Amino acid sequence: MVNNFVTVATYSNYVDANLAKQLLESAGIKCYLANESTLNTAWHLTVAVGWLQLQVNQADLEQAKEVLVSSQMAAAATADDLLDDEAADDDFEKISWADATADRAFITGVIGLILLLLPIQFYSLWLLLRLFVSRRPISPNRRIKVMIALLLDLLNLYILWHILF
C-alpha cells in the first residue's frame, strides 16, 4: 500500500512545527515533518528545501486543516486575552521629571561615595542644582533622597579635599 502524504502546512521554525505535529497526533491524525532531519543538520538550507513541511495522509487532509485552523483561532483568542491583561498592567503611576532627577542624583551620590571620582560628584551636584532651580514639586520620599544626596556629595567633596590637598 502506497502512502499518499500531502503537505498541510509549512513552518519556518521547529517549535511551531512540532506543536502543530503534536496537536494533530493528539487528534488521532498520523503525520510527520518532512525535511526535519535535513534542517537539523543543515539549518541554512531551510528555504532551499521548502521549510519544514507538516504532512498528513490525503484521507486526513480536511480533518487536519480543521484541527489546525481551530487551534489558530484558539491561539488568537488567547493572544487577545493576553493583550487585555497587558493593558491592565499598564496602570502604574508615572514618575515626574523632578522625582526621576532626584533618584538619579541620589544614585550618583552613592556611586560617587564608593568610587570617589570628582566628575561624578559634579554631575550629582549639577542634577541637584537643576532640581532646585526648576522649582518643580518633589514627592516627600524623594525630598529625603535629595537631602541625602546633598549630604553625600558634601561628604565626598570633603574626603576628596583632604586626599588631594
Side-chain angles (χ1 to χ4, degrees):
M1 180 175 165
V2 177
N3 290 331
N4 295 326
F5 281 94
V6 293
T7 302
V8 70
T10 58
Y11 296 94
S12 61
N13 62 48
Y14 297 107
V15 175
D16 292 339
N18 281 310
L19 285 173
K21 179 182 175 190
Q22 290 175 1
L23 183 68
L24 291 179
E25 287 174 347
S26 69
I29 301 171
K30 291 184 180 181
C31 60
Y32 79 99
L33 289 172
N35 304 328
E36 184 177 22
S37 298
T38 305
L39 297 180
N40 279 334
T41 53
W43 58 268
H44 58 281
L45 296 176
T46 303
V47 177
V49 297
W51 305 96
L52 279 167
Q53 298 173 358
L54 181 61
Q55 294 190 343
V56 296
N57 197 341
Q58 183 134 12
D60 297 330
L61 181 63
E62 292 303 318
Q63 183 185 1
K65 285 182 180 178
E66 289 175 10
V67 169
L68 291 175
V69 168
S70 67
S71 72
Q72 288 175 353
M73 287 181 189
T78 304
D80 289 341
D81 292 342
L82 288 176
L83 289 176
D84 292 340
D85 290 344
E86 288 175 4
D89 290 342
D90 289 344
D91 298 334
F92 58 90
E93 184 180 332
K94 294 193 177 190
I95 298 175
S96 69
W97 175 86
D99 288 346
T101 305
D103 288 341
R104 196 175 310 125
F106 176 74
I107 291 169
T108 307
V110 170
I111 291 172
L113 182 64
I114 294 169
L115 298 178
L116 290 176
L117 293 174
L118 197 57
I120 294 177
Q121 299 311 312
F122 287 141
Y123 177 66
S124 180
L125 288 171
W126 177 73
L127 287 173
L128 291 172
L129 182 67
R130 282 184 65 193
L131 194 60
F132 290 132
V133 170
S134 72
R135 301 237 182 235
R136 293 186 184 176
I138 303 171
S139 61
N141 63 342
R142 298 308 196 304
R143 286 187 191 136
I144 295 170
K145 282 187 172 183
V146 167
M147 287 185 259
I148 292 172
L150 186 58
L151 289 174
L152 286 174
D153 287 338
L154 293 175
L155 177 65
N156 288 336
L157 289 175
Y158 178 77
I159 292 170
L160 285 173
W161 180 265
H162 282 292
I163 290 174
L164 296 176
F165 299 110

